[in-house]
Amino acid sequence: SSARTRRPRSRASSTGPRASSAPRATSGARRTSSRATRSPTSSTRRSGSSRRARSARSTRYARVFAERGAALRAAGELDAAEEQLALACDVDPAPSAAAWYDLGAVRRELGRVEDAAADFARAAVADPADADSYVGLGLCLGQLERLDEARQSIEHALRLAPAHETARALLAALDGGAG
């Protein structure tokens, strides 16, 4: 006779009382979740670390979107570049000045000057020491014929970087246009 190997029966298929993981029927007042039994410090610590993990993941995604946007811009695919750069700024909890600057540059090239001015302004807020953001903002404001604001932005860029050639050329053009 052949020997048969016998598989042990699982608890769920046993005929005895159910010992499964299904929830027991209890009144709502008596039911407690595992979260309710945790100490406040452990849940705070846990949520803080998960927030940091989400933030780090978002920052990584933003970097990927920004890199794609830069490559698309270099290839002349401005609409796709704008989409990727906008995603980079939307996903990142604190977008960098470079991300806002690149998005502004693409939007300016697309002729969306008001949106570009807003992006350059965000870049300036993200990094107040970045003269290029103020130059981009000044250029857009000049195109929008908001010349006093354009002059202020370009002069601020020159205070940050006195040798900035583009800022000097834009200021000279503003002076030449005014006289």
Side-chain angles (χ1 to χ4, degrees):
S1 83
S2 65
R4 286 169 99 180
T5 57
R6 195 171 170 161
R7 291 179 29 195
R9 286 201 257 177
S10 67
R11 286 186 145 188
S13 65
S14 70
T15 57
R18 258 186 97 148
S20 71
S21 61
R24 284 190 251 166
T26 60
S27 70
R30 290 180 48 203
R31 188 180 309 169
T32 60
S33 72
S34 61
R35 288 184 182 181
T37 58
R38 284 191 215 143
S39 72
T41 56
S42 67
S43 66
T44 302
R45 199 174 311 123
R46 190 175 312 230
S47 67
S49 65
S50 70
R51 238 182 271 125
R52 282 189 298 277
R54 276 193 309 269
S55 177
R57 190 170 39 251
S58 295
T59 301
R60 281 194 306 270
Y61 290 142
R63 196 171 322 132
V64 169
F65 291 135
E67 288 170 2
R68 284 182 190 162
L72 289 165
R73 180 181 180 207
E77 298 180 37
L78 297 180
D79 290 322
E82 178 190 20
E83 181 181 326
Q84 292 296 305
L85 291 166
L87 281 171
C89 291
D90 288 343
V91 167
D92 197 342
S96 69
W100 285 119
Y101 180 89
D102 290 343
L103 182 58
V106 167
R107 286 182 170 164
R108 189 180 59 76
E109 289 175 38
L110 285 169
R112 297 181 49 204
V113 181
E114 286 185 31
D115 292 334
D119 296 331
F120 286 125
R122 288 183 187 110
V125 168
D127 184 2
D130 181 31
D132 289 333
S133 298
Y134 290 99
V135 170
L137 178 58
L139 179 61
C140 289
L141 292 170
Q143 288 178 310
L144 294 169
E145 297 187 21
R146 293 164 51 185
L147 301 180
D148 289 337
E149 294 172 84
R151 176 180 301 283
Q152 289 173 1
S153 183
I154 293 167
E155 287 174 347
H156 187 79
L158 285 170
R159 282 193 295 276
L160 294 171
H164 199 291
E165 290 183 29
T166 305
R168 287 181 175 280
L170 288 172
L171 191 57
L174 283 173
D175 289 340

